[in-house]
Each structure stands twice: as structure tokens, then as C-alpha cells.
Amino acid sequence: MTVITTERLSETVGAEVVGVDLERLAHDAALAAWTLEALEAHGALVFRGLHADDAAQVAFSKRLGRVEVFGKGEHPEIFRVTLDPTKNRAAGYLKGTFDWHIDGMTEDVPIMATLLSAHAVAASGGDTEFASTYAAYDDFSDEERARYESIRVVHSFEAAQLMGNKSPTPEELARWRSRPAKEHPLVWTHGSGRRSVVLGATASHVVGMDPAESRAFLDDLLARATRPERVYRHTWEVGDMVIWDNRGVLHRARPYDATSARDMHRTTLYGDEAVQ
Ligand code: OGA
Ligand code: MN
């Protein structure tokens, strides 16, 4: 078999995987371990023109880790990322994907990785952007590293939803608040020994800091982590599959129309590491 190679897509995040087709996705016994290693190294992996159907995506996801189950039906592991409420009842919440975020930050253990396969793309907009939170930490000065060590940040669903809907109804607010907030350290020291910064739309405030100062501090760190030269932007073609390492990247969708046909089939891998 030919050797699988990676080609970097930016200086700090993203690599294209070359040499994997559907046959290999299904049958190469070494591919899962290879993929997990490449994911840790690159943060996001792009498989162009793979055209994995749901069965192929779910089968491969199960070889990478424990896969979250959402619905019923033939492939209950598939969650459809679309703004079309006839395809996903939770479509209304997915505008939240337009802001930089890390998935599952209000859970005890954030998810490990996400796979998205493009089944339909937007006529305009709808790219997905990635930025490494390991690189964001590496960019800190020694003085900042020392100062940020003890900082703790409250993450909430409310903070994330408020970004796209500044004047919620009392019912909306109550629904958002029914999901408990979660406190995490600003700096995540992983089992691997690497450190990353935990930021994004769910970051509500720094514990014990004046609210305005806290907002400015978090906004500034996020802007630094996601400045253009730190970002890989993926422009989708039908059939592309992208996997990102949710422990070490921020991501967001660029806006696309609510009536767009854009339809991403997603599988989600549970994490096994709390933020600590
Ligand atoms: C997600 C997400 C981004 C996109 O599925 O968690 O943020 O581009 N998706 O659809
Ligand atoms: Mn997301």
C-alpha cells in the first residue's frame, strides 16, 4: 500500500491527509492509530473528496473512540449540522457555531474529537475555521504563563447563546440557564504534558475579576489565539471529511444563510480527560 502523507495547511493548525480512500478507510487496520497520532500533531485533519456515507463514517469513528449517540434510526450516531429545522430539530441553536468555540465546554469532560462530512455545501459562506489552543498557549510570554496559571473561567451555554441573540425572551433565557455552568482553569494541562488555553463563546467570566475587565481580558486572549495567521480556513466541497481535536483547537463556521442547503453529517467522540 502507498504511504499516507500529511501536508500542512497552515503554520500551527491543520493538515491534509493524502492517500486515504474509502477502501482504505474501511480496511486499513493501522489507520485508526495513525489518525489519532496525526490529530494530536496537527489539530485538524482534512480528507478531501472522501465521500464517506453515514455507515462508513460511523464505522471509522468507532475505531477512533467511543461515539456519542443522538437519535434513533439507522445511524443514531449521526448528528446533522444544518440550519434547516426539518433536518435537525435543534437547528435554532446551531447559529452558535458561528462564534469561536470549543465543543462541550459546559460538560465535565469535553468531547475528544469531531468528524464532519460534507453532504451539501452552502452557495456562499459556510467555511469552517480552526485555531490551535496549544499554539495560543505557546505564544504567551513567561510572565503571562505564570500569571495565568491560577486563573479560572466560568463557561456557560447562556454566554455562548447570548452572542447570537442579545435579547432573548424570558423563556429562552430560562432554557439556556437550565444547563449548569462549569468552571475550568484557563490553562489546560493535558495528560500528554502539553498545555492549551480554554477560551471561546462559552467563556462567560473570570472568577473574581471585575466583569468589564474580565470581558476585555477574555476577548483579547481570544483575538490573539485566532488572529488570521493562526487560522486554517476550510472551504468545503461535497465529500470532504474533516476531523478536529476538540482538546486543542477552537473552531467556528463562517456565516451561511438559514435557508442554505448546507448539510454536514457529524459524529462525536467522547473525551476521557477533564480540563485540569
Ligand atoms: C460543530 C461545529 C462548524 C461547522 O459541529 O460543532 O461547530 O462549520 N460546526 O458546521
Ligand atoms: Mn462546534
Side-chain angles (χ1 to χ4, degrees):
M1 270 196 288
T2 54
V3 176
I4 303 171
T5 57
T6 50
E7 287 169 15
R8 280 179 177 279
L9 294 164
S10 80
E11 203 183 307
T12 51
V13 70
E16 179 170 350
V17 177
V18 181
V20 174
D21 59 11
L22 282 182
E23 180 65 23
R24 195 149 190 182
L25 193 76
H27 300 299
D28 181 343
L31 186 61
W34 182 92
T35 301
L36 291 172
E37 204 169 297
L39 196 59
E40 172 86 32
H42 297 289
L45 298 175
V46 173
F47 299 74
R48 283 191 215 276
L50 187 62
H51 294 279
D53 62 12
D54 290 345
Q57 182 178 346
V58 169
F60 184 61
S61 299
K62 286 182 172 170
R63 288 167 56 205
L64 295 177
R66 199 158 62 85
V67 181
E68 208 168 316
V69 171
F70 292 98
K72 295 195 175 71
E74 201 185 350
H75 298 292
E77 300 88 354
I78 296 284
F79 179 90
R80 291 173 77 175
V81 179
T82 166
L83 295 177
D84 181 344
T86 66
K87 295 187 186 128
N88 182 342
R89 276 186 297 132
Y93 286 136
L94 292 174
K95 283 216 177 91
T97 61
F98 293 176
D99 299 297
W100 285 109
H101 64 282
I102 302 174
D103 291 333
M105 268 304 146
T106 56
E107 310 291 326
D108 283 322
V109 178
I111 64 165
M112 189 252 278
T114 300
L115 295 84
L116 282 190
S117 292
H119 287 244
V121 298
S124 80
D127 292 355
T128 306
E129 292 186 323
F130 302 93
S132 168
T133 55
Y134 292 122
Y137 179 83
D138 294 342
D139 283 345
F140 289 159
S141 67
D142 289 345
E143 185 270 325
E144 284 181 305
R145 288 180 194 187
R147 192 148 45 92
Y148 298 164
E149 208 166 300
S150 58
I151 288 183
R152 296 186 66 82
V153 179
V154 172
H155 290 258
S156 71
F157 187 65
E158 177 185 350
Q161 289 297 318
L162 262 179
M163 299 198 68
N165 180 359
K166 300 270 186 244
S167 39
T169 63
E171 291 75 26
E172 282 174 319
L173 205 55
R175 223 175 309 128
W176 299 349
R177 289 186 177 163
S178 70
R179 299 210 196 178
K182 191 87 213 155
E183 193 182 304
H184 294 301
L186 175 65
V187 175
W188 183 352
T189 304
H190 299 260
S192 62
R194 297 172 85 192
R195 289 189 166 86
S196 68
V197 192
V198 182
L199 291 168
T202 53
S204 166
H205 59 277
V206 174
V207 176
M209 196 183 274
D210 162 77
E213 197 188 323
S214 163
R215 189 71 267 153
F217 172 76
L218 292 170
D219 288 351
D220 176 60
L221 287 189
L222 185 66
R224 285 169 60 186
T226 59
R227 57 193 205 278
E229 65 272 28
R230 284 292 191 233
V231 170
Y232 168 63
R233 179 176 188 143
H234 187 70
T235 300
W236 295 92
E237 304 262 358
V238 171
D240 289 354
M241 183 173 85
V242 175
I243 310 178
W244 70 85
D245 182 348
N246 190 62
R247 299 163 302 191
V249 298
L250 284 151
H251 62 281
R252 69 171 174 183
R254 301 307 289 145
Y256 54 96
D257 209 81
T259 59
S260 165
R262 189 183 194 268
D263 185 7
M264 300 288 163
H265 289 210
R266 168 182 161 134
T267 44
T268 307
L269 305 179
Y270 282 110
D272 58 7
E273 197 189 339
V275 183
Q276 56 199 346

